[in-house]
Amino acid sequence: QKEVEQNSGPLSVPEGAIASLNCTYSDRVSQSFFWYRQYSGKSPELIMSIYSNGDKEDGRFTAQLNKASQYVSLLIRDSQPSDSATYLCAVSMFSGGYNKLIFGAGTRLAVHP
Amino acid sequence: DAGVIQSPRHEVTEMGQEVTLRCKPISGHDYLFWYRQTMMRGLELLIYFNNNVPIDDSGMPEDRFSAKMPNASFSTLKIQPSEPRDSAVYFCASSWTGANYGYTFGSGTRLTVV
């Protein structure tokens, strides 16, 4: 089992719809969770962080965390073509006494007009 | 803040040549990470430093790869000799206190070995 798993996609949604991106992780003691957006040919950009169970909203983005189910998701409301990118889920895990991020392989999102 | 600065942005080199990638982390960040990204393997952690000290280099593919961080504001990743399979985008990222607040990535270096 991979430490952080995401559906590779592509996830195709029409403009204006809600895009739902999902991620599961293996380490029950993970404390910090992040979503990165990566446009083609660009570097990953941090767009959301969440640390406690429940929802966290920032503009059109909502991150959801359920530690009991080891599940984190990202909802994008009113999806725009400019949201088309790869979304990487990252989860903090302790290894060798140090806390580092483990990245999923990413989900490619395509928003079509 | 200028963010994480990497150079060069693009590098094309011949097989067998030495390649040096450079990174300047965000001032005040105490962790620095080197990643490699390819379509096939995704984002791979190569090595990371804490307060200029290498902590985990288990991701370095082989002895041809080496990384140094002589001070808090500069790190290099060297490949010698380079091979075509090293072609990838190499990212440097930095953070404060490890993973608690996420990482900030540089713009990356696209390496092509011919």
Side-chain angles (χ1 to χ4, degrees), chain B residues 4-111:
Chain B
V4 177
I5 300 173
Q6 290 187 247
S7 64
R9 291 296 304 274
H10 302 274
E11 177 81 38
V12 180
T13 191
E14 292 186 347
M15 182 174 63
Q17 296 298 306
E18 177 179 295
V19 176
T20 299
L21 310 181
R22 297 172 176 81
C23 176
K24 175 180 170 58
I26 291 174
S27 177
H29 280 189
D30 57 348
Y31 281 81
L32 183 140
F33 306 84
W34 281 102
Y35 283 88
R36 177 172 69 175
Q37 188 175 43
T38 61
M39 289 293 292
M40 290 297 295
R41 302 174 70 92
L43 199 60
E44 299 176 274
L45 177 63
L46 301 178
I47 185 172
Y48 72 98
F49 296 83
N50 175 223
N51 291 323
N52 314 337
V53 176
I55 301 303
D56 184 355
D57 66 353
S58 61
M60 297 286 258
E62 48 198 275
D63 291 345
R64 298 184 297 106
F65 286 68
S66 62
K68 294 182 179 180
M69 192 166 185
N71 56 62
S73 58
F74 184 66
S75 177
T76 59
L77 178 67
K78 186 176 294 187
I79 308 172
Q80 166 63 16
S82 58
E83 297 183 4
R85 59 194 168 116
D86 301 331
S87 298
V89 180
Y90 290 81
F91 289 108
C92 175
S94 70
S95 75
W96 180 62
T97 73
N100 292 337
Y101 303 104
Y103 302 167
T104 302
F105 283 81
S107 299
T109 295
R110 181 173 295 277
L111 174 64

